[in-house]
């Protein structure tokens, strides 16, 4: 039978008796102090599984008695029929410190005071008592559950502890255990009881007393035409899937939180009827799996399509498979290709038109306004497909629509930049600011589309963010472009070897150590990853590992981008919280990412002094048949560029150093605290996901009661389009249903509304569409 919360607590108690026989003798007992008596209500449940006795009024049948009696039980002079092994001595109302105080130990505890020298303690590693919250949440010595820290959850835990012990540990571990979750355990309604039984028939029966089981059977017979003790789970699952009569409401409840009943999916699989009807399509997991397999094969077929043919095919496939994004299987993350297809359709629309071919200004403006969205859609499509076969299929579709668009845009960019650079009129962005109260966060490889994710997260945390773009130094590699941003003294750097500048005084190559030293010489604090510095001055720090992950993993970078965005945002909030007036975010270059790798072009080795993936430093007088530009640090040095989105090295999925909008147009963010009263740890939306017309929002940092709503105008309650608003007092996730499908495609805002009326809203969403 599946392990329960009670099983895990019993295991913790048994583990606490472990000892090293080479160091000490076997303990005679396990002392369990509980000053707050928080465990008393469930001690009988635990006592059925262990040799356990309790301090209290004398009642041998209940294994309870005063201290002297407990001492006799431990010594074996009083036999109450305990199982073999050292007994657990539960001490409600007694703290560990009270028992250990030799001079002030209460008289009533004196008979057992000496047991502490021959026993083990069951207490927190900090020597305090195990509270219910502490044991349930402790990662190393407890159960590792995620409990919210608000007062409502603490109160609900005291009420629902007995029911929580019956929960399967694998289910509880996946939940945010908050007041709502705990109160549902207490106020269990017939529909939830039915779903819990169907989720784990044998476990539910074993955990239920006869009265509780009889009540479920009677209710099911009366309301659902089912006798659980006779008809069994398969019959129940078939009724659930067909959704007829009152079973429609049971399905609705299941569909609201299917992750709480993962066993139901397997029951539905076994119960699928041979003949299906329109009104129960989507109820059976194997049908969704078959549709995913079909879509996987169809996406693989994009390899033979032209870009225009691929765009048309994506739209046709979405008409067929898009509805699956609103099923329970989508909510259970069992329809990843249906979600990838949503992004592929967006990519199809964005790549219909190439970047505006003209001067550099029009190209840059078009990319900053529209073009970056194509890059974002490609990354999100790939990220939706997490396993190998799915990613291979999605990659085929991305390549079919995206490669040609990238190629055309890169060549247009090279045509626009070449004459400017050769005429020495190409102007990269300025070095980082040294204004007092300003700290610069450098992020290696923060491409424009990824910076938009950072910007959204910051805006969702009520921080003021202004965004702009500039051009990267050429070539777009860290060795060249990062020193161009470093706030060193004017003239401190000159041209150096390979693609690095050098210290103008010593001639030493500008390594990271040299750059940091030059910045310090210019009055700039250089902060480590966790340092916050003196906010009255100016500083430079670095965050994120986007570029390292891209070079190491290629297309697997997409799996880590949201994590990287979170790290960058948290660092910005940390610095603002420390008192900095402004945090500027800068980067050295973007990058090109193309699944399957870029096409390789040859560059004669004899012509170069150093060669990278998309650029090379040429020897003096070398002649090559690829585009060239002057080096940022020495205009007389020529840099060869890989044409379009080709590469001088083979099998490169991720690379930079060349000239394209993706590599050259870099973001600059300027962030201040704005209206955020709490920065680090404050409320923040972390994810918004659409399942058809159901909006699943996830958020963190909520400690007081808030209302979750979906509005056309964030500050206007009357603009709500949610069927019902939800109230919560903890972090987690909430689902909101848009009742009227006329709102599909409209712009709206998920909002958190505090009791005093303050509204927290992330950037707008489009109803029914994922970004």
């Amino acid at each position: 039978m599946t392990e329960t919360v009670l099983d895990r607590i019993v295991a913790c108690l048994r583990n606490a008796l472990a000892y090293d026989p080479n160091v000490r003798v076997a303990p005679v007992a396990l002392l369990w102090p509980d000053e707050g008596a928080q465990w008393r209500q469930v001690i009988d449940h635990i006592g059925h599984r262990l040799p356990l006795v309790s301090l209290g009024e004398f009642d041998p049948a209940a294994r309870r008695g005063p201290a002297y009696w407990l001492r006799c039980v431990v010594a074996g002079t009083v036999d109450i029929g305990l199982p073999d092994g050292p007994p657990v001595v539960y001490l409600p109302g007694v703290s560990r410190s009270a028992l250990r105080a030799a001079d002030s130990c209460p008289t009533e505890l004196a008979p057992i005071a000496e047991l502490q020298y021959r026993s083990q303690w069951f207490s927190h590693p900090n020597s305090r008592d195990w509270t219910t919250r502490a044991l349930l949440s402790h990662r190393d010595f407890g159960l590792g559950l995620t409990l919210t820290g608000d007062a409502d959850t603490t109160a609900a835990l005291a009420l629902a502890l007995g029911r929580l012990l019956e929960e399967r540990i694998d289910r509880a571990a996946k939940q945010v255990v908050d007041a709502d979750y705990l109160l549902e355990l207490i106020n269990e309604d017939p529909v939830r009881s039915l779903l819990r039984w169907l989720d784990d028939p044998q476990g539910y029966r074993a955990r239920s007393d006869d009265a509780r089981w009889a009540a479920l059977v009677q209710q099911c017979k009366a309301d659902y035409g089912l006798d659980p003790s006779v008809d069994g789970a398969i019959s129940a699952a078939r009724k659930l899937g067909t959704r007829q009569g009152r079973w429609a409401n049971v399905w609705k409840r299941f569909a609201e939180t299917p992750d709480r009943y993962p066993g139901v999916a397997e029951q539905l699989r076994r119960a699928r009827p041979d003949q299906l009807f329109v009104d129960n399509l989507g109820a059976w997991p194997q049908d969704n799996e078959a549709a995913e397999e079909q879509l996987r094969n169809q996406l693989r077929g994009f390899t033979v399509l032209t870009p225009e043919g691929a765009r048309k095919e994506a739209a046709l496939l979405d008409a067929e498979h898009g509805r699956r994004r609103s099923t329970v299987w989508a909510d259970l993350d069992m329809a990843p290709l249906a979600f990838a297809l949503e992004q592929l359709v967006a990519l199809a629309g964005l790549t219909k038109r190439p970047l505006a071919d003209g001067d550099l200004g029009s190209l840059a403006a078009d990319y900053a306004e529209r073009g970056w969205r194509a890059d974002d859609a490609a990354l999100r499509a790939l990220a939706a497909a997490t396993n190998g076969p799915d990613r291979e299929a999605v990659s085929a579709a991305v390549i079919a629509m995206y490669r040609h668009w990238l190629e055309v845009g890169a060549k247009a960019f090279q045509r626009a930049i070449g004459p400017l650079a050769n005429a020495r009129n190409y102007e990269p962005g300025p070095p980082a600011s040294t204004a007092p109260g300003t700290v610069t966060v450098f992020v290696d490889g923060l491409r424009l589309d990824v910076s938009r994710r950072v910007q959204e997260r910051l805006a969702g945390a009520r921080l003021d963010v202004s965004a702009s773009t500039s051009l990267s130094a050429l070539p777009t590699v860290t060795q060249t472009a990062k020193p161009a941003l470093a706030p060193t003294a004017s003239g401190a750097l000159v041209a150096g070897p390979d693609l690095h500048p050098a210290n103008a005084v010593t001639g030493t190559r500008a390594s990271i150590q040299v750059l940091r030293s030059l910045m310090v010489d210019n009055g700039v604090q250089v902060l480590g990853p966790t340092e916050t510095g003196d906010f009255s001055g100016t500083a430079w720090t670095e965050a994120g590992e986007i570029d390292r992950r891209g070079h190491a993993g290629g297309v697997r970078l997409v799996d880590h981008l949201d994590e990287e965005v979170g790290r960058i945002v948290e660092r910005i909030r940390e610095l603002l919280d420390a008192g900095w007036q402004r945090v500027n975010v800068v980067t050295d270059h973007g990058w090109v990412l193309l699944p399957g790798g870029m096409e390789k072009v040859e560059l004669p080795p004899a012509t170069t002094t150093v060669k990278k993936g998309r650029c090379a430093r040429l020897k003096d007088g070398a002649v090559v048949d690829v585009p060239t530009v002057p080096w940022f640090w020495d205009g007389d040095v020529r840099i060869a560029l890989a044409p379009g989105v080709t590469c001088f090295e083979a099998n490169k999925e991720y690379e930079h150093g060349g000239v394209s909008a993706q590599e050259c147009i870099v973001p600059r963010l300027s962030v201040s605290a704005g209206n955020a009263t709490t920065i680090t740890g404050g409320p923040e939306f972390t994810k918004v996901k659409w399942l058809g017309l159901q909006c699943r929002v996830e958020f963190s940092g909520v400690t007081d009661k808030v209302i979750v709503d979906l509005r056309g105008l964030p500050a206007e309650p009357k603009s709500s389009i949610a069927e019902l608003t939800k109230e919560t007092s903890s972090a987690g996730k909430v689902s909101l249903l848009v009742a009227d499908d006329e709102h599909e495609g409209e712009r709206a805002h998920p909002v958190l509304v505090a009791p005093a009326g303050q509204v927290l809203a992330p950037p707008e969403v489009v109803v029914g569409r994922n970004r």
Side-chain angles (χ1 to χ4, degrees), residues 375-376 379-380 383 445-447 449-451 453-454 457 545-547 549-550 555-568 591 593 654:
D375 300 329
D376 183 64
L379 296 183
R380 292 183 187 275
L446 181 64
R447 199 169 72 172
D449 53 320
V450 182
S451 80
R453 300 191 195 189
V454 173
R457 289 281 295 273
E545 295 185 322
I546 295 172
D547 193 50
R549 287 184 183 271
V555 75
R556 292 193 296 275
L557 171 65
V558 300
D559 300 323
H560 305 288
L561 281 176
D562 285 336
E563 174 191 348
E564 289 296 322
V565 167
R567 291 172 60 188
I568 295 164
W591 31 269
L593 186 141
Y654 172 99

Side-chain angles (χ1 to χ4, degrees), residues 39 45 53 91 123 135-136 162 193 275 346 429 444 508 552 576 583 728:
W39 294 98
H45 296 282
V53 290
L91 304 171
S123 57
L135 183 63
L136 291 170
S193 296
Q275 185 176 5
D444 194 356
T508 307
L576 289 172
V583 177
T728 185

Side-chain angles (χ1 to χ4, degrees), residues 105-116:
C105 179
T107 304
E108 63 272 16
L109 297 179
I112 59 171
E114 65 84 24
L115 287 180
Q116 64 185 296

Side-chain angles (χ1 to χ4, degrees), residues 148 150 152-153 179-180 702-706 727-731:
T148 56
D150 56 287
D152 286 346
T153 297
D180 292 340
V702 173
T703 55
D704 298 319
K705 284 187 177 180
V706 295
E727 185 177 281
T728 185
S729 58
S730 60

Side-chain angles (χ1 to χ4, degrees), residues 717-739:
K718 293 181 180 179
S719 69
S720 174
I721 60 174
E723 183 179 53
L724 292 172
T725 61
K726 301 287 181 70
E727 185 177 281
T728 185
S729 58
S730 60
K733 58 184 179 182
V734 165
S735 291
L736 299 169
L737 182 65
V738 177

Side-chain angles (χ1 to χ4, degrees), residues 145-168:
L145 303 182
T146 303
L147 274 77
T148 56
D150 56 287
D152 286 346
T153 297
T154 300
L157 181 60
L159 295 172
L161 185 59
R163 289 293 178 86
L164 181 60
L165 264 58
E166 300 173 2
E167 287 287 281
R168 288 174 53 165

Side-chain angles (χ1 to χ4, degrees), residues 289-299 317 320-321:
E289 291 162 3
E292 284 283 290
E293 178 62 25
Q294 178 190 35
L295 179 53
R296 187 179 300 112
N297 291 329
Q298 290 167 320
L299 292 175
L317 291 177
E320 179 182 356
H321 293 276

